[in-house]
């Protein structure tokens, strides 16, 4: 799909014009990955601040917020589908010097994302009660879940486009701009929530407004793409969508989408099983993990992956296989080091961290501390699997990328989720997540080891061809 190139020579420029093809890989990686991690960590900090305010709400309200927050998973899910998908396809085209084709792909992606997300927002509002029940709301928490999620549905087109545009800013070699857009959003959201919750006593709706703002402001990056100095300026004619182009984008982003989709179903299963085996207290504890603590780790991992992808895609498209290998090696070393340290800190300080969200409830504090240790103990393996999947996705090797993501959930996480509670009761539900990370990362390592050998062979072949060309012109 998308392999036939029909553009005139005037649309092709040397691939070496970009810093992605020339600058030192360690410097590039640290610039792009750290900016991606910081941008997503800012979102996590917003969630933590939100959690502080939420901790003062009633248990049913916290439960409702946890259910309603699932709409945010839809935002992230579709955002990475089209953002990561378009980003990889565009970077590969840029690596081959096909500027106009890359620009057109971006424009079409933005228009199609706007149309699809608007349709989903309408459906979400029409069937909000049924959807919240499906997500795991009890009869008692349903009104709170519906009230909290309504604004999230209304803003869905804007929040999804914000994710897409922030990823595409990385592709356009503007990772700092992308990070700053999330920083501005975080500051505005924090002030908004403080005013609404503390000053005007708006309760849950203050939290809902803060999350909506924090996810929406980066949509203003469209101003940069319209008026800034960029190769990827969207045009009015891009409204004429080519389904082949959207198909390529969606298929390329499907691995990231499948990861988020599996997580989406896992959250639904988790909420329902915890409600059945442990009641509202365990659902509230899961809200602390899913909405705040584990969410922060997941956002950081996603930021590291999206930071690496432009480097991989561009150099793979340009045939710089030695740089591709160096980039993924750098990514793996950094990911393991970073998340081992981060999870260790989180486990050591689990009790004070949870106290930030438990609102003085001793039962929730005790359970939340235990679940923080158990649920996040092997998160480093999750981050490694995500990075390796993103590596293959950045080259449009979508079957491999998707298999890494989906196999872990379908073959291990979901079966464990239903088997473990029969052995260990409600604790088994919490054990299922980290237990599935072990076979999941082994599958990812199998594929990346094969890839290192392939890259070595490709680098050698490229070197021989270049040497032969040099001798030919001597």
């Amino acid at each position: 799909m998308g392999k036939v190139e029909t553009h005139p020579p005037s649309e092709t420029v040397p691939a070496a014009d970009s810093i992605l093809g020339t600058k030192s890989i360690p410097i590039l990686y640290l610039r792009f990955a750290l900016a991606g991690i910081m941008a997503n960590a800012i979102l996590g900090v917003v969630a933590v601040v939100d959690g502080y305010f939420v901790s003062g709400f009633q248990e049913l309200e916290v439960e409702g917020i946890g259910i309603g927050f699932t709409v945010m998973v839809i935002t992230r899910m579709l955002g990475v589908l089209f953002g990561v998908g378009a980003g990889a396809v565009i970077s590969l085209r840029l690596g081959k010097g096909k500027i106009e084709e890359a620009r057109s792909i971006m424009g079409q992606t933005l228009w199609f994302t706007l149309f699809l997300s608007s349709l989903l927002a309408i459906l979400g509002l029409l069937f909000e009660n049924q959807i919240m029940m499906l997500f795991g709301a009890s009869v008692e928490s349903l009104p709170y879940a519906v009230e909290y999620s309504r604004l999230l549905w209304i803003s869905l087109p804007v929040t999804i486009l914000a994710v897409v545009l922030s990823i595409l800013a990385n592709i356009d070699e503007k990772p700092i701009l992308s990070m700053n857009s999330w920083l501005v959003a975080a500051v505005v959201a924090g002030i908004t929530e403080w005013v609404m919750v503390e000053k005007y006593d708006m309760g849950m709706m203050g939290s809902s407004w803060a999350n909506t703002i924090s996810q929406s402001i980066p949509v203003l990056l469209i101003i940069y793409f319209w008026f800034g100095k960029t190769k990827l300026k969207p045009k009015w004619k891009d409204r004429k969508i080519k389904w082949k182009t959207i198909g390529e984008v969606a298929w390329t982003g499907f691995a990231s989408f499948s990861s988020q989709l599996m997580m989406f179903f896992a959250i639904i299963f988790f909420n329902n099983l915890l409600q059945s085996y442990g009641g509202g207290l365990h659902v509230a504890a899961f809200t602390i993990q899913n909405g705040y603590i584990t969410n922060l780790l997941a956002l950081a991992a996603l930021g590291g992956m999206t930071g690496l992808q432009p480097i991989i895609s561009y150099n793979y498209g340009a045939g710089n296989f030695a740089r591709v290998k160096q980039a993924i090696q750098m990514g793996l070393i950094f990911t393991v080091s970073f998340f081992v340290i981060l999870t260790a800190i989180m486990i050591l300080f689990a009790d004070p961290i949870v106290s930030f969200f438990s609102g003085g409830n001793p039962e929730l504090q005790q359970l939340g501390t235990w679940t923080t240790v158990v649920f996040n103990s092997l998160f480093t393996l999750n981050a490694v699997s995500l990075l390796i999947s993103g590596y293959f996705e950045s080259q449009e090797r979508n079957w491999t990328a998707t298999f890494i993501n989906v196999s872990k959930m379908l073959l291990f996480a979901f079966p464990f989720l239903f088997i473990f509670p029969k052995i260990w009761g409600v604790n088994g539900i919490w054990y299922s997540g980290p237990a599935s990370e072990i076979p999941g990362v082994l599958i990812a390592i199998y594929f990346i080891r094969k890839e290192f050998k392939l890259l070595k062979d490709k680098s050698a072949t490229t070197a021989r061809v270049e040497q032969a060309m040099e001798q030919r012109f001597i």
Side-chain angles (χ1 to χ4, degrees):
M1 183 177 290
K3 300 300 182 186
V4 179
E5 313 295 353
T6 58
H7 297 277
S10 61
E11 295 176 354
T12 302
V13 296
D17 282 358
S18 171
I19 62 169
L20 293 172
T22 57
K23 203 161 189 174
S24 163
I25 288 293
I27 293 174
L28 268 181
Y29 178 77
L30 290 176
R31 177 185 172 187
F32 278 77
L34 287 178
I37 290 171
M38 285 300 298
N40 281 8
I42 289 167
L43 275 176
V45 170
V46 170
V48 169
V49 172
D50 176 58
Y52 170 76
F53 291 109
V54 168
S55 67
F57 299 163
Q58 300 172 16
E59 187 176 310
L60 272 178
E61 289 179 311
V62 176
E63 186 181 336
I65 289 172
I67 302 297
F69 190 82
T70 310
V71 178
M72 282 295 184
V73 179
I74 297 176
T75 292
R76 198 181 305 168
M77 191 164 60
L78 291 177
V80 299
L81 172 66
F82 294 111
V84 172
V89 175
I90 289 168
S91 288
L92 285 167
R93 297 296 195 278
L94 291 175
K96 296 174 182 177
K98 300 183 180 300
I99 304 298
E100 175 57 24
E101 187 176 352
R103 189 212 60 74
S104 176
I105 291 168
M106 176 186 171
Q108 292 179 60
T109 300
L110 293 181
W111 280 109
F112 183 79
T113 301
L114 179 61
F115 168 76
L116 179 62
S117 56
S118 298
L119 178 62
L120 288 174
I122 293 170
L123 292 174
L125 290 168
L126 287 175
F127 300 100
E128 55 186 0
N129 286 310
Q130 296 91 326
I131 292 174
M132 290 301 112
M133 289 293 288
L134 177 66
F135 287 174
S138 63
V139 175
E140 295 80 9
S141 65
L142 178 61
Y144 300 102
V146 169
E147 180 184 4
Y148 183 84
S149 65
R150 189 168 293 145
L151 189 59
L152 305 183
W153 285 119
I154 293 171
S155 62
L156 193 69
V158 175
T159 55
I160 291 175
L161 277 173
V163 175
V164 173
L165 285 165
S166 67
I167 294 174
L168 293 179
N170 284 337
I171 301 304
D172 202 38
E173 302 176 12
K174 296 292 186 294
I176 306 301
L177 178 63
S178 175
M179 181 188 74
N180 286 339
S181 71
W182 292 110
L183 179 60
V184 171
V187 172
V188 175
I191 294 172
T192 300
E193 186 160 15
W194 178 75
V195 170
M196 287 185 169
V197 175
E198 295 293 328
K199 295 298 182 182
Y200 291 98
D201 197 25
M202 292 179 63
M204 281 179 36
M205 289 313 297
S207 170
S208 185
W209 270 105
N211 276 295
T212 299
I213 290 171
S214 69
Q215 299 282 339
S216 298
I217 285 181
V219 80
L220 296 176
L221 285 168
I222 192 63
I223 296 173
Y224 160 73
F225 284 107
W226 274 337
F227 303 108
K229 188 178 180 181
T230 173
K231 303 171 184 176
L232 302 177
K233 196 180 297 291
K235 296 180 180 179
W236 189 248
K237 66 180 181 179
D238 298 330
R239 289 179 304 128
K240 188 177 180 181
I241 294 170
K242 298 176 183 177
W243 293 106
K244 184 178 181 181
T245 297
I246 296 301
E248 182 180 3
V249 167
W251 176 230
T252 303
F254 185 76
S256 286
F257 172 79
S258 67
S259 175
Q260 298 295 321
L261 182 65
M262 293 296 104
M263 186 58 62
F264 175 72
F265 285 120
I267 290 170
I268 294 174
F269 291 150
F270 245 90
N271 279 323
N272 281 280
L273 287 168
L274 287 172
Q275 189 73 251
S276 175
Y277 280 88
L281 184 65
H282 278 266
V283 175
F286 184 58
T287 298
I288 292 175
Q289 300 305 322
N290 180 50
Y292 311 116
I293 298 176
T294 310
N295 182 53
L296 178 60
L297 293 172
L299 286 170
L302 183 62
M305 186 267 282
T306 55
L308 177 69
Q309 281 190 318
I311 305 170
I312 298 294
S313 295
Y314 188 95
N315 285 284
Y316 192 86
N320 298 327
F321 301 114
R323 287 174 63 83
V324 171
K325 183 177 180 180
Q326 187 182 5
I328 183 59
Q329 287 176 330
M330 177 79 185
L332 288 170
I333 293 170
F334 178 86
T335 297
V336 171
S337 304
F338 181 81
F339 283 99
V340 164
I341 294 171
L342 191 59
T343 52
I345 292 171
M346 195 163 285
I347 289 170
L348 286 172
F349 297 97
D351 189 64
I353 290 172
V354 172
S355 66
F356 199 69
F357 310 105
S358 62
N361 183 331
E363 291 182 328
L364 184 57
Q365 175 68 28
Q366 183 179 4
L367 180 61
T369 301
W370 180 80
T371 56
T372 297
V373 174
V374 170
F375 200 60
N376 301 298
S377 57
L378 297 181
F379 188 86
T380 300
L381 305 185
N382 182 300
V384 169
S385 297
L386 182 66
L387 186 78
I388 293 173
S389 172
Y391 166 83
F392 288 106
E393 185 177 35
S394 65
Q395 302 169 21
E396 294 189 307
R397 295 163 69 183
N398 306 310
W399 285 112
T400 302
T402 303
F403 182 78
I404 290 171
N405 286 330
V406 173
S407 63
K408 178 178 74 174
M409 301 302 290
L410 291 184
L411 298 181
F412 307 107
F414 290 160
F416 291 171
L417 195 56
F418 290 94
I419 294 170
F420 284 13
K422 297 183 183 302
I423 303 172
W424 294 291
V426 68
N427 289 351
I429 301 172
W430 294 102
Y431 297 151
S432 63
S436 66
E437 298 298 348
I438 298 172
V441 78
L442 291 176
I443 291 172
I445 290 172
Y446 167 78
F447 282 107
I448 201 63
R449 287 188 65 183
K450 289 181 63 178
E451 181 65 11
F452 282 144
K453 184 178 185 304
L454 182 64
L455 286 173
K456 182 179 179 181
D457 293 341
K458 283 186 174 183
S459 296
T461 301
T462 301
R464 285 196 298 269
V465 171
E466 289 176 350
Q467 186 178 16
M469 292 294 290
E470 289 175 1
Q471 292 176 349
R472 188 177 172 187
F473 288 102
I474 293 176

